[in-house]
Amino acid sequence: GLGLGLGLGCGSRALRLLETAGAVRPVGVPLRLDASGAVRPECRAMGRRGGGAKTGAGAKGRGGAAQWAAQWWAAATDAATVVAETFDGDQKFTSAVQHSTESPVVGVYARGSVARGEARAGVSDVDLVTVCWGHDTADDVRDMARLKRRLNLRLNSKPRLKLRARLDSTGGSVRATGGGSSGTPDASSRGENSGEEDSWLGRWGHLATKADVRVVTVPPPPHPAGVALAAAIAGEPMARQPPDAVEALAQCLGDETMFVLAVECAPITGPDLPALLPASAGIPPPARCLETLNADVVDALADGGERALTWALKRCVRAAFERETSSTRRTRQISGDVAGANADGRGAIGRVYTRDLYYCAGLASDARPELGEDLAAALCASVHGPRAVWGALWYACGSALCVRLRDAIAYGEVGPR
């Protein structure tokens, strides 16, 4: 079954066959929603780790994840150190907010499988969310883009990348300059290559595939959003703050970022924002993929690349789940007990939240059995790649599937297969 007491209906028959063959499998579990529609505390990242995020206590995982939890947390902590060094070491960016705080970085938070203690070596990324002080002026936006590029180089550069390129260009020898001995890189080349050789990926590439950092900025005080965040840092929960200040902060962060911080994150450095955010932050944002599905499919097909097509297929699978969830919420009151679902699992739609492609495909196909085979094919192509699934016809088959799912999900039109 789909887990959490959810049975597989007839719409998920194709998905069940793929799982039996070992082609797909779930990574996590759907998050239960309470009567208000918010994710239950025990299903959030901090609740799943038993409150011991920094020590790895209570970490439970799949495929040996519990034994590796401490290493994953060390990798995330190392990445957070790189983030802090990158932002704090930039004098121009720091000077813009030094009147309000000593450091522009408010906090760095692990997100997703690392925060839950379920990361798997060779499969999972280290996902971080960084909250920092900043303005929305044109200069600050340019500075932030520059810092993000520098941060990505420090995190994800492959070791000795530039040195290998120089060796290739010189036929296997490195010319000395500035008094260096023959065949030895000079001081300038060592400085140039040190960033790649000492990158975060060079230290943790045996464990994680890459590090991905989302940076969100909040205007410093006296801006109302900055006042609310500063009060939260000082220990004042946002539930006790004036509604106007909390609303200003919510507008700066956005509903999706508020949800990610409250549900999917665990603090590495800085204040425990997941615990300080209001209860409404735990309500899943509506239609993260559905609203832009048509534009996303059009852009991906225009790109013509395999990576873009894979991305579009993932958007289709998640949009299908969002469509059925939103439809269910309009027709009945949300219940907080997943055990009350129907025997075929369809009652779970609207009572759980997930971004896992496996569960999105399974729950959506149970609600709309006519889409079961298409969603299973999209899931398989998303996991293994369109070329691996369809061979030389990967673009023709994948684009036709994208358009068919887009029409069925966004417009309710089920075309011929």
Side-chain angles (χ1 to χ4, degrees):
L2 287 174
L4 290 178
L6 309 180
L8 276 169
C10 60
S12 299
R13 186 173 295 113
L15 187 65
R16 178 164 43 194
L17 293 175
L18 288 174
E19 184 181 11
T20 302
V24 297
R25 66 177 181 80
V27 177
V29 294
L31 306 178
R32 298 169 182 259
L33 304 181
D34 61 20
S36 67
V39 176
R40 292 185 176 184
E42 66 272 16
C43 296
R44 304 186 185 192
M46 293 297 292
R48 297 277 292 279
R49 297 183 64 93
K54 293 190 177 182
T55 62
K60 299 179 181 179
R62 298 172 54 89
Q67 294 88 328
W68 291 90
Q71 287 198 40
W72 278 103
W73 195 255
T77 303
D78 189 19
T81 301
V82 174
V83 171
E85 291 175 351
T86 302
F87 284 96
D88 292 343
D90 190 274
Q91 184 176 2
K92 182 179 179 181
F93 184 78
T94 304
S95 62
V97 294
Q98 65 181 3
H99 64 281
S100 301
T101 178
E102 295 181 357
S103 171
V105 178
V106 175
V108 182
Y109 304 85
R111 175 190 177 188
S113 59
V114 175
R116 297 190 302 268
E118 297 176 344
R120 299 177 65 247
V123 176
S124 301
D125 303 335
V126 170
D127 295 320
L128 302 179
V129 176
T130 300
V131 180
C132 61
W133 300 111
H135 302 280
D136 290 332
T137 64
D139 289 341
D140 286 329
V141 171
R142 284 193 293 268
D143 288 340
M144 179 59 69
R146 173 176 53 82
L147 287 173
K148 287 181 179 179
R149 289 193 296 269
R150 181 187 301 173
L151 178 61
N152 185 60
L153 285 175
R154 293 193 61 185
L155 288 173
N156 295 316
S157 293
K158 295 182 179 179
R160 303 179 63 85
L161 180 62
K162 292 184 180 178
L163 182 56
R164 288 174 183 169
R166 294 186 61 214
L167 288 171
D168 292 340
S169 64
T170 58
S173 63
V174 180
R175 291 177 299 186
T177 59
S181 60
S182 177
T184 304
D186 64 329
S188 62
S189 68
R190 285 195 300 270
E192 182 185 28
N193 296 320
S194 61
E196 275 75 6
E197 294 179 15
D198 194 34
S199 70
W200 178 89
L201 189 62
R203 297 189 294 272
W204 298 101
H206 66 284
L207 194 67
T209 57
K210 64 183 177 70
D212 185 37
V213 182
R214 175 191 293 191
V215 181
V216 293
T217 58
V218 177
H223 191 282
V227 172
L229 182 57
I233 294 173
E236 182 71 13
M238 294 184 188
R240 302 178 185 175
Q241 297 187 34
D244 293 343
V246 178
E247 179 62 24
L249 180 60
Q251 291 180 358
C252 287
L253 295 178
D255 292 339
E256 182 176 350
T257 300
M258 292 274 282
F259 176 78
V260 167
L261 285 169
V263 174
E264 302 177 4
C265 288
I268 300 175
T269 64
D272 188 0
L273 283 183
L276 296 174
L277 292 174
S280 59
I283 299 177
R288 297 167 75 175
C289 297
L290 182 59
E291 291 181 351
T292 61
L293 180 62
N294 182 60
D296 292 341
V297 170
V298 170
D299 291 343
L301 298 187
D303 179 276
E306 186 179 12
R307 184 174 182 179
L309 182 58
T310 301
W311 174 77
L313 289 170
K314 291 179 180 179
R315 301 287 287 184
C316 287
V317 172
R318 290 183 172 128
F321 172 76
E322 291 176 357
R323 175 62 181 266
E324 299 311 314
T325 298
S326 60
S327 299
T328 302
R329 287 175 179 173
R330 288 195 297 266
T331 57
R332 65 172 174 80
Q333 182 180 4
I334 298 175
S335 172
D337 189 2
V338 177
N342 297 333
D344 62 359
R346 299 184 190 181
I349 286 285
R351 305 186 184 204
V352 296
Y353 175 81
T354 183
R355 294 279 291 172
D356 186 286
L357 292 171
Y358 176 90
Y359 289 111
C360 285
L363 292 170
S365 60
D366 278 346
R368 296 186 64 180
E370 70 276 12
L371 298 182
E373 292 184 3
D374 281 347
L375 287 171
L379 172 63
C380 193
S382 299
V383 173
H384 300 285
R387 196 183 301 272
V389 174
W390 293 299
L393 297 176
W394 65 268
Y395 182 79
C397 296
S399 60
L401 177 61
C402 259
V403 171
R404 196 161 59 242
L405 282 173
R406 187 269 318 266
D407 292 344
I409 296 165
Y411 309 119
E413 301 174 0
V414 181
R417 291 182 174 83

